[in-house]
């Protein structure tokens, strides 16, 4: 498949600037692969498609407030610093993106906070916008992390043009987020409310959790027409032995196993045994899934509506079937479904 196969016209007004008022009241498009049917529902209607003993796999990563604003020494220019990952806790070294990048060179210092209580020095260039920063801070590691939390803001995707609002801190996070490390939310999970989780539990649906820390690489544009030449950024992935046991039991019992989001699907498919079961895993994955692809673990998935030509859309096309997905996306545009992180959802069974 080629990059140009994933092009479609997406009207700007369908980009969700805000989430649905209530998490589980986003719209839900249900795709049945066997029957080739499309239904229009609410997210909370999801419960109708699952029975006792079915399994939902969630990504329990937690988004940290990765976007900070500092001032460049001498000039006072305002610089956006986007924290990507911690390289060394002891030395307080971080991999970051800076904007505008042309102004930031090795040796520059950046000051954060009104009292300038946090300073960073640029010690390396990694990519055109990427830099390695060493943070200088008087205090313990715990105090340093607290300071980052205080100065950082919710890293809403760039396409959301409005300023970050206080509600975003809660809404751009799943209700089951536990392990901090993501710079973007696993958005399919944003639709789950406490009430819906309770109802699913009461119905006997099982849950298992993986941790895949979503990086910005997920949103990197694909710049090659031949998809086999695209390289994904690596993301940290943890599948515990407990999770592997729960998933393998569901496979053996021929239950419905639902990957809640593309991040869960990538996590699962990164650690498959030769007999199509799940292995525990603790490491990094740069798995890129695009059609044609044979999935080994999940037999259903929940996902949002993605951008044209994105790696996320490609994975969903591999799962739903390319032609069926393109038909569903045309229908979504026609019916005014909201796209991207704060948008509506799709269930593929």
């Amino acid at each position: 498949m080629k990059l140009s196969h994933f092009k479609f016209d997406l009207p700007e007004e369908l980009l969700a600037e805000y989430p649905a008022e209530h998490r589980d009241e986003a719209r839900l498009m249900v795709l049945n692969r066997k029957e080739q049917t499309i239904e229009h529902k609410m997210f909370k209607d999801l419960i109708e498609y699952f029975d006792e003993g079915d399994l939902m796999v969630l990504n329990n990563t937690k988004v940290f407030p990765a976007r900070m604003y500092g001032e460049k020494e001498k000039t006072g220019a305002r610089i956006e610093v986007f924290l990507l990952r911690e390289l060394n806790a002891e030395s307080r070294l971080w991999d970051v993106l800076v904007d505008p990048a042309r102004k930031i060179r090795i040796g520059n210092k950046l000051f954060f906070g009104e009292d300038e209580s946090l300073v960073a020095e640029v010690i390396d260039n990694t990519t055109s916008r990427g830099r390695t920063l060493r943070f200088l801070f008087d205090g313990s590691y715990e105090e340093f992390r607290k300071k980052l939390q205080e100065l950082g803001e919710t890293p809403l995707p760039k396409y959301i043009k409005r300023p970050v609002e206080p509600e975003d801190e809660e809404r751009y996070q799943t209700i089951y987020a536990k392990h901090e490390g993501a710079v973007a939310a696993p958005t399919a999970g944003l639709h789950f409310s406490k009430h819906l989780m309770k109802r699913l539990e009461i119905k006997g649906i099982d849950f298992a959790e993986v941790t895949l820390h979503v990086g910005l690489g997920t949103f990197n544009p694909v710049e090659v027409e031949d998809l086999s030449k695209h390289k994904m950024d690596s993301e940290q992935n943890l599948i515990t032995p407990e999770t592997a046991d729960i998933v393998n039991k569901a496979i053996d019992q021929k239950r419905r196993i639902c990957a809640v989001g593309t991040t869960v699907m990538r996590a699962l498919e990164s650690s498959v045994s030769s007999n199509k079961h799940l292995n525990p895993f603790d490491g990094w994955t740069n798995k890129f899934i695009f059609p044609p692809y044979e999935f080994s673990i999940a037999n259903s998935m929940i996902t949002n509506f993605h951008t044209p030509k994105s790696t996320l859309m490609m994975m969903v096309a591999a799962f739903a079937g390319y032609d069926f997905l393109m038909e569903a996306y045309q229908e979504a545009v026609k019916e005014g479904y909201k796209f991207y992180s704060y948008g509506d959802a799709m269930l593929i069974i």
Side-chain angles (χ1 to χ4, degrees):
M1 295 228 84
K2 301 275 193 279
L3 177 63
S4 45
H5 287 133
F6 294 92
K7 198 173 168 221
F8 67 96
D9 290 326
L10 180 59
E12 207 163 307
E13 65 271 16
L14 294 186
L15 305 188
E17 287 271 315
Y18 288 93
E21 191 181 347
H22 301 292
R23 286 182 185 266
D24 58 13
E25 288 183 357
R27 294 168 73 189
L28 179 71
M29 182 186 274
V30 183
L31 272 58
N32 184 316
R33 294 178 294 173
K34 192 168 163 230
E35 310 293 336
Q36 293 284 293
T37 55
I38 295 174
E39 293 177 280
H40 303 288
K41 299 278 189 174
M42 296 280 273
F43 193 81
K44 58 187 176 189
D45 300 330
L46 180 81
I47 195 163
E48 298 166 14
Y49 297 88
F50 292 87
D51 296 316
E52 188 179 343
D54 288 346
L55 177 65
M56 288 191 172
V57 187
L58 312 170
N59 182 2
N60 63 18
T61 187
K62 192 174 185 182
V63 180
F64 68 92
R67 188 174 279 127
M68 299 165 62
Y69 294 94
E71 286 187 359
K72 191 178 167 190
E73 68 175 335
K74 298 193 178 106
T75 67
R78 188 176 192 246
I79 306 293
E80 178 189 308
V81 172
F82 196 100
L83 302 173
L84 291 177
R85 60 176 71 104
E86 185 173 50
L87 300 172
N88 184 307
E90 210 179 321
S91 311
R92 296 184 185 162
L93 290 183
W94 281 75
D95 192 4
V96 306
L97 295 177
V98 292
D99 196 19
R102 63 182 188 283
K103 295 184 173 179
I104 301 301
R105 299 193 171 88
I106 293 172
N108 287 161
K109 281 199 171 79
L110 299 169
F111 294 87
F112 299 91
E114 282 176 18
D115 57 355
E116 298 186 348
S117 56
L118 184 64
V119 182
E121 185 181 2
V122 182
I123 61 167
D124 199 7
N125 296 330
T126 49
T127 61
S128 59
R129 284 182 57 214
R131 302 288 184 272
T132 303
L133 296 189
R134 178 189 286 120
F135 283 99
L136 313 168
F137 177 75
D138 291 331
S140 68
Y141 180 70
E142 285 66 35
E143 288 167 328
F144 166 63
R145 289 301 296 230
K146 205 171 148 205
K147 181 56 82 175
L148 290 185
Q149 289 277 354
E150 203 181 288
L151 294 171
E153 67 173 35
T154 304
L156 290 185
K158 281 284 197 198
Y159 75 85
I160 293 181
K161 299 286 184 264
R162 63 175 175 81
V164 172
E165 295 174 17
E167 293 73 40
D168 291 312
E169 193 178 336
E170 184 228 342
R171 290 303 303 270
Y172 195 62
Q173 196 81 272
T174 63
I175 61 167
Y176 45 79
K178 282 193 189 87
H179 302 297
E180 198 171 76
V183 298
T187 53
L190 296 180
H191 304 291
F192 284 86
S193 64
K194 287 194 171 81
H195 182 62
L196 178 58
M197 296 283 277
K198 198 77 211 148
R199 286 174 60 216
L200 289 162
E201 235 170 79
I202 291 165
K203 194 172 178 181
I205 314 303
D206 292 325
F207 294 95
E209 296 182 358
V210 298
T211 307
L212 184 106
H213 290 317
V214 192
L216 278 188
T218 295
F219 307 108
N220 278 353
V222 179
E223 287 166 342
V224 285
E225 181 65 6
D226 176 356
L227 298 185
S228 65
K229 295 198 164 44
H230 177 69
K231 294 276 178 287
M232 288 288 276
D233 277 8
S234 290
E235 293 174 321
Q236 208 169 354
N237 183 12
L238 174 67
I239 298 167
T240 62
E242 296 76 47
T243 288
D245 288 346
I246 296 168
V247 170
N248 291 333
K249 192 173 132 198
I251 291 172
D252 293 338
Q253 293 176 351
K254 300 194 166 26
R255 302 289 188 186
R256 176 164 283 169
I257 299 170
C258 182
V260 177
T262 54
T263 61
V264 170
M265 192 65 94
R266 187 179 314 120
L268 297 176
E269 289 296 318
S270 296
S271 192
V272 178
S273 70
S274 55
N275 63 348
K276 303 265 176 108
H277 280 60
L278 185 63
N279 285 328
F281 186 85
D282 184 359
W284 295 75
T285 176
N286 62 353
K287 194 163 186 67
F288 175 32
I289 297 173
F290 59 94
Y293 182 86
E294 196 181 318
F295 291 83
S296 299
I297 307 287
N299 46 31
S300 63
M301 85 180 287
I302 296 166
T303 187
N304 278 23
F305 290 90
H306 304 292
T307 18
K309 303 204 283 194
S310 62
T311 59
L312 307 173
M313 182 189 175
M314 291 164 191
M315 181 196 288
V316 180
F319 191 76
Y322 171 78
D323 292 334
F324 192 26
L325 185 80
M326 294 309 278
E327 182 194 330
Y329 269 40
Q330 276 180 326
E331 176 95 356
V333 170
K334 195 177 91 200
E335 294 292 328
Y337 275 76
K338 291 288 191 187
F339 279 67
Y340 300 1
S341 305
Y342 270 155
D344 294 314
M346 177 186 272
L347 168 64
I348 307 166
I349 54 176

